[in-house]
Amino acid sequence: MKVAVGGPLKLAFRPWVEGLEHVPAEGPAILASNHLSFSDSFFLPAVLDRKVTFIAKAEYFTTPGIKGRMTAAFFKGVGQLPVDRSGARGAGEAAIKSGLGVLERGELFGLYPEGTRSPDGRLYRGKPGGLARVALASGAPVIPVAMIDTEKIQPPGKVMPKLMRPGIRIGKPLDFSRYQGMEHDRFVLRALTDEVMYEIMRLSGQEYVDIYATAAKRQLAEAAKTEKQAQKQAEQARKEAEKASERAAAGREAEKAAGKERSDP
């Protein structure tokens, strides 16, 4: 896949990279990145010599039909692991288990602390469950990564990418051994996550928003729904006004015709 996908990807888009020296040549490490586009999971592995394993929703691997089988084969080929997001605790526990398995094999594990793609290009609050617990349970260093301009190449909902150069800026590894054995302390989990998000913000130059991206998406969806309803009501009012105007015009014409009949000898 590095040859079949990574090579053409680098040739076509020519991504620029800073900080490659911060990724260890061997041994486990966690790549914690911002998430701007679906293509983030392809650009980052394409510029690294080592394999990077991300997690992906299980639907990508279970869709029936030829297209579904091709999609599953592709995601397996690029190192994605299926995670079932159903159940009371969702993807959290599955992601932690999958990540620990990857790190125990001495490999690179990639994840997005925001939990979902940014809806507007800003950086949102990191979720502490997955990143912090995997980091503390494994003892692996956390390497902050900033994807730059990938949302302009392939915005959400767009299939065909735009040819332009994205950027990838990789920061120095963060050591959280001082928190070892404290993976059940929610304040520690929050502090660790916030430290990583600060480094990602510094590397990416994004505006930081201290709410979860999922909450931001709900707010945007509600705002869009409200705007749509307002537009519908305005359109309905316009149509009613037009009908009222037509009725008034018809009434005037009727009165004029009646007056003409009365004036005729």
Side-chain angles (χ1 to χ4, degrees):
M1 278 297 177
K2 280 190 175 292
V3 174
V5 178
L9 204 65
K10 289 192 290 185
L11 184 64
F13 293 93
R14 299 180 300 114
W16 58 265
V17 189
E18 295 178 2
L20 272 177
E21 68 276 8
H22 298 315
V23 180
E26 58 182 21
I30 301 168
L31 300 176
S33 173
N34 59 339
H35 198 12
L36 298 173
S37 169
F38 173 79
S39 59
D40 294 337
S41 299
F42 303 109
F43 279 113
L44 181 56
V47 301
L48 300 177
D49 292 331
R50 298 182 60 186
K51 175 184 177 181
V52 184
T53 299
F54 287 89
I55 56 174
K57 57 184 180 181
E59 291 87 337
Y60 287 142
F61 299 82
T62 59
T63 303
I66 296 176
K67 183 179 179 180
R69 289 197 293 272
M70 291 177 64
T71 300
F74 177 78
F75 276 96
K76 289 176 182 177
V78 295
Q80 304 261 352
L81 290 176
V83 172
D84 184 0
R85 299 188 298 178
S86 63
R89 305 195 67 173
E93 292 299 326
I96 292 168
K97 186 176 180 179
S98 298
L100 290 175
V102 171
L103 295 169
E104 286 172 2
R105 296 194 297 270
E107 300 173 0
L108 298 178
F109 179 57
L111 53 76
Y112 303 109
E114 291 169 280
T116 185
R117 280 177 284 180
S118 170
D120 54 13
R122 296 185 294 177
L123 184 68
Y124 285 85
R125 194 181 196 197
K127 294 187 174 183
L131 168 63
R133 289 177 61 189
V134 169
L136 293 178
S138 65
V142 178
I143 302 174
V145 177
M147 306 300 296
I148 299 171
D149 289 337
T150 53
E151 81 282 9
K152 298 176 183 176
I153 292 175
Q154 192 177 25
K158 297 292 183 180
V159 178
M160 295 302 295
K162 178 182 178 182
L163 284 177
M164 61 175 291
R165 295 190 72 186
I168 302 172
R169 191 172 283 127
I170 304 172
K172 295 180 180 179
L174 302 174
D175 178 17
F176 294 107
S177 58
R178 63 187 183 279
Y179 293 136
Q180 209 66 41
M182 304 172 70
E183 57 267 22
H184 300 296
D185 188 323
R186 63 188 181 91
F187 295 106
V188 168
L189 299 181
R190 183 75 263 164
L192 187 156
T193 305
D194 287 345
E195 184 174 340
V196 174
M197 298 309 295
Y198 175 81
E199 289 301 315
I200 294 174
M201 179 189 69
R202 190 179 61 81
L203 292 168
S204 68
Q206 290 172 277
E207 177 187 349
Y208 179 75
V209 186
D210 196 24
I211 62 172
Y212 292 123
T214 48
K217 286 184 176 181
R218 284 196 298 270
Q219 291 176 1
L220 289 172
E222 290 171 0
K225 183 179 179 181
T226 301
E227 183 179 358
K228 188 175 180 180
Q229 289 175 342
Q231 290 176 349
K232 185 177 180 181
Q233 290 172 353
E235 180 65 16
Q236 186 176 355
R238 183 187 65 80
K239 289 180 179 179
E240 290 176 355
E242 287 179 353
K243 290 179 180 179
S245 178
E246 290 173 358
R247 288 194 297 267
R252 288 193 295 270
E253 289 296 326
E255 289 177 0
K256 187 185 296 185
K260 185 177 180 180
E261 288 179 359
R262 287 194 296 270
S263 63
D264 286 341

